[in-house]
Every structure is written in C-alpha cells, then in structure tokens.
Amino acid sequence: MHPLFGLQNHQLSDLLQEFSAPAYRVRQLSQALYQHWTDDLNAITTLPKELRDRLSGAGYQIGLPRIIETYMSVDGTERYLISTGDGQSVETVWMPEGDDGESGDGSETGYHDSTICVSSQIGCAVNCQFCLTAKLGIIRNLTAGEIAGQVVAVLKRHDVQIGRDRINLVFMGMGEPFLNYDAFMDAVRLLVREVGIAESRMTVSTSGIMPGILRFASESIRPKLAISLNAPNDKVRTAIMPITRKWNIQHLVDAVRQVPLRPKEKLTFEYVLLGGVNDQLSHADEVGKLLRRVGRPLKVNLIVWNPGPMMSYDMPPPHQVMEFQARLKHNGISAFVRRPRGRDIYAACGQLKRTVAVKVNPLLPTFPLPEPL
C-alpha cells in the first residue's frame, strides 16, 4: 500500500495527473489530509467516488500513523506508542503544559500552550551513554509522513484547533533528526505549509551533526535550534557522547555561528546534569567561558538526568542543580531548569525506548506504570 499522508503538494499534483484529475483536486486532497486529518480515503467526499475507487484500487491509502498504546503520567503527560504500519512502533509524548524549556521564547503558558515531543527515527545511532533510546541502536529512519503523522495523531486525540490552541513541537524524541535530514525537513515543511503550525513554535535538537547544522543554516523554513552540549569540555563530552570524536565542541561552535537568527530568537544549549560527572561549579565556569565565545544570543536548558533501567548514572541533588544554574547566571549565561515531565511512565528526556514491559521506574519514587488505555 502507498500512503498519501506525507506527500508534498507537488507530489500530490503529479499523482493526480496520473489519474487525469483536474488541478483543483490537489487542494481538496491536501485539505483532507493536512487540515481535516481524514484517516479514511472513502471519507474524502470532496473527491468523486470514482477517483477514490481508482486511488484505492491502485494501492493508495491515507496512511496516517495510529496510536496503539497510551500511558498516562501522574503529572498529565501522555506517552504514546505509534504504529508505523510495518510492525514497528515509535514513541511520541504530549505535555499539556510544556516543561518550561522550549515553549517558545517569551510565550505565555497555559492549558492551550502544550508541547508535543516528536521522534525522527526508530532508535538512535548516536549512542549517548546516558540515554535509554541509545540502547535500541538504530532500527530505521522515519519517513516525512511518519514524522508529521505523529503530530497529527496527537492533535486529533486532543481535539486541538490550529489557530486557536497554542502548540509547540520539539523534535527531541527518539533519534537524531540531522541523521534523517531530508525526511525531517520535509515533515517540517508539511507541518508549516499544510498543517499550519508556525516554524517559530518548533525546536529541533541535535547532538551536534555538523554537516546537518550547516545545511540547516541555509533553510528558508526552519525550526529553532537546540544543541545537546552536556559537557564543559571535549574530554567529558567524549566519555558520555562518543560522537564528539567526530565533531568536537569547537566544530559545533563554528557551525552554530552560521545559523541566522530571527528577531528575539536565541540558540538553545541543552545540558543534562549527571551526578558527579558534569555538575560541578568548575564545570559551570567552563560552560560559561565556552558559551561566551559563541557570540550569539543564547540560553541554556538544564535537564536533570532521568533514570532508566541498566543505566549507571546518578541524579544530582536539587540544591546542586540550583547552584549550577546560579553559577551560569553569575557567568552571564541565561539558564533555565526544565521540569521533568512523565518520568514515572518513561516519557521524560532520554527515557524513550518503547518501554512496555517495565512496570515501575525503580530509581524513582514508586509510581505504577498504568495499563495502556
């Protein structure tokens, strides 16, 4: 079967030309896919039945990704397993009030200012040592339709109205977006041009894929950029993020300087605090010195490490997190602590691993893992 969801307008145009359909049918089909979120070809009644039958007979279907399991956190966060139609699944997270991190610079918060965390790959090849997703390895890239489809599946579930409800997208789920660059950017274009979500409400996080950052700098439509820094120097970073051997911190600094910023936009540097590894005040001083050299408007999002099974790191105590944040501010760096969302259901940053068998997170206060809804 051939999915229609995920095709750009020019691809829909080429397809419908094969069926001798008039040009205005392209807009009708696009509206059904990306604005009405229709999940059944036969339900697109703006298209004549004869055309629908011919498309179906040729093996075309909507192909919108489907939520197959839902886990609900005590804090309102929801984690979804979303079917990709080939026996695989990917994880997506809904945070009804965001996490105080990438909700958009200067935006107000509230019930209708929610965040969807989107995956770009099934698994991940980057092998960050503190991330549960890395334990999967890389299984495959997602298509543009599978990436954008996660968003639409969650929007449908929560009856979100584009233009009324404020929605943020963070491409910070499973996978490294810049190792699936073309599909990721095609998904972004669909979400901006067809679904109607502003690019300024989107943030993409990269572990530091320098060629991807340089390509990203030249895009006319692009989300905001977040760099997973996580260390004050190359020695510490290499130990926890082996990709540093290929592109060190100076490479990242040189690359992000090429990214043009919109008015009031800031670069984000994410920093996962690992107890006893990268959380000392001397590390904060190093980070401050490093980021002052970037010479661009920026902020740091501090993320307390989220535990998972078979992970050998520790969470720093709250007072140490606050001291680290204060030291960064003392060094002239804007720093914010991201609220952990959905830790009890393995939905927090670095925890996504299609976890279905684990019933509690043994390294946190006891919260039973709910049965799927």
Side-chain angles (χ1 to χ4, degrees):
M1 299 296 284
H2 310 299
L4 294 169
F5 192 96
L7 297 181
Q8 309 282 335
N9 263 12
H10 71 275
Q11 295 171 309
L12 293 176
S13 179
D14 292 345
L15 172 62
L16 292 184
Q17 282 182 16
E18 295 178 14
F19 290 85
S20 302
Y24 66 85
R25 297 294 184 197
V26 175
R27 176 45 54 186
Q28 291 175 328
L29 180 53
S30 177
Q31 287 176 335
L33 292 173
Y34 303 120
Q35 295 177 26
H36 303 152
W37 307 334
T38 306
D39 56 12
D40 183 352
L41 185 57
N42 286 323
I44 307 179
T45 54
T46 52
L47 298 181
K49 185 175 186 303
E50 181 267 342
L51 176 57
R52 284 179 273 146
D53 289 344
R54 290 177 64 201
L55 285 167
S56 180
Y60 288 95
Q61 60 181 3
I62 299 297
L64 183 64
R66 188 169 54 88
I67 295 173
I68 55 174
E69 290 189 10
T70 299
Y71 295 94
M72 297 189 69
S73 169
V74 293
D75 64 21
T77 299
E78 295 183 2
R79 176 173 66 90
Y80 311 109
L81 294 187
I82 295 185
S83 172
T84 56
D86 60 353
Q88 296 288 350
S89 64
V90 69
E91 295 203 4
T92 310
V93 177
W94 163 267
M95 293 173 281
E97 295 176 352
D99 62 0
D100 299 334
E102 296 305 327
S103 59
D105 295 322
S107 71
E108 68 271 19
T109 58
Y111 179 77
H112 293 299
D113 198 354
S114 303
T115 298
I116 303 173
C117 181
V118 187
S119 295
S120 56
Q121 298 177 305
I122 304 176
C124 186
V126 177
N127 197 29
C128 299
Q129 297 298 292
F130 51 84
C131 180
L132 202 55
T133 310
K135 302 299 182 183
L136 285 173
I138 183 66
I139 296 172
R140 71 168 175 86
N141 287 333
L142 295 175
T143 66
E146 290 168 339
I147 297 170
Q150 294 170 63
V151 176
V152 168
V154 176
L155 294 177
K156 283 187 67 173
R157 172 176 170 81
H158 291 278
D159 194 27
V160 172
Q161 294 186 29
I162 301 298
R164 181 199 71 181
D165 302 328
R166 293 172 65 88
I167 294 296
N168 308 299
L169 305 182
V170 293
F171 297 93
M172 300 180 182
M174 302 173 78
E176 163 56 67
F178 286 178
L179 290 181
N180 187 19
Y181 188 90
D182 291 329
F184 159 68
M185 284 304 305
D186 281 345
V188 167
R189 295 182 192 106
L190 280 176
L191 291 165
V192 172
R193 293 171 176 164
E194 307 302 332
V195 178
I197 302 174
E199 60 194 297
S200 61
R201 306 300 299 178
M202 305 179 185
T203 301
V204 59
S205 175
T206 177
S207 60
I209 309 300
M210 193 176 72
I213 296 171
L214 296 176
R215 286 185 68 185
F216 186 75
S218 66
E219 297 285 354
S220 58
I221 292 177
R222 56 178 177 78
K224 294 178 291 183
L225 181 63
I227 302 293
S228 291
L229 180 62
N230 304 322
N233 55 58
D234 286 333
K235 181 178 179 181
V236 175
R237 195 170 191 268
T238 299
I240 60 175
M241 298 181 69
I243 199 168
T244 309
R245 297 189 188 101
K246 190 165 188 178
W247 296 295
N248 64 23
I249 291 175
Q250 189 57 52
H251 282 130
L252 301 188
V253 170
D254 292 342
V256 299
R257 283 174 176 158
Q258 307 302 312
V259 180
L261 300 179
R262 306 172 188 89
K264 298 184 180 180
E265 182 180 354
K266 296 179 180 180
L267 293 168
T268 297
F269 286 84
E270 298 168 306
Y271 198 97
V272 176
L273 288 162
L274 305 167
V277 176
N278 63 355
D279 62 342
Q280 305 302 302
L281 294 182
S282 60
H283 294 145
D285 290 337
E286 281 190 82
V287 171
K289 183 178 179 181
L290 166 67
L291 295 184
R292 285 196 300 271
R293 296 204 311 266
V294 174
R296 308 295 302 281
L298 58 84
K299 64 177 180 178
V300 173
N301 275 345
L302 297 174
I303 304 166
V304 177
W305 178 69
N306 295 299
M310 299 178 293
M311 304 291 281
S312 59
Y313 294 97
D314 295 310
M315 300 168 64
H319 71 87
Q320 198 156 329
V321 175
M322 296 302 102
E323 290 170 2
F324 195 96
Q325 179 190 27
R327 192 62 160 252
L328 284 178
K329 290 182 175 180
H330 176 75
N331 280 283
I333 304 298
S334 295
F336 304 87
V337 178
R338 278 187 28 194
R339 282 187 296 158
R341 298 302 303 268
R343 270 182 178 166
D344 55 318
I345 56 167
Y346 291 92
C349 180
Q351 288 187 316
L352 300 186
K353 190 178 175 287
R354 300 183 300 176
T355 309
V356 294
V358 178
K359 296 206 173 164
V360 300
N361 187 335
L363 302 179
L364 292 173
T366 301
F367 295 122
L369 187 65
E371 292 300 319
L373 298 182

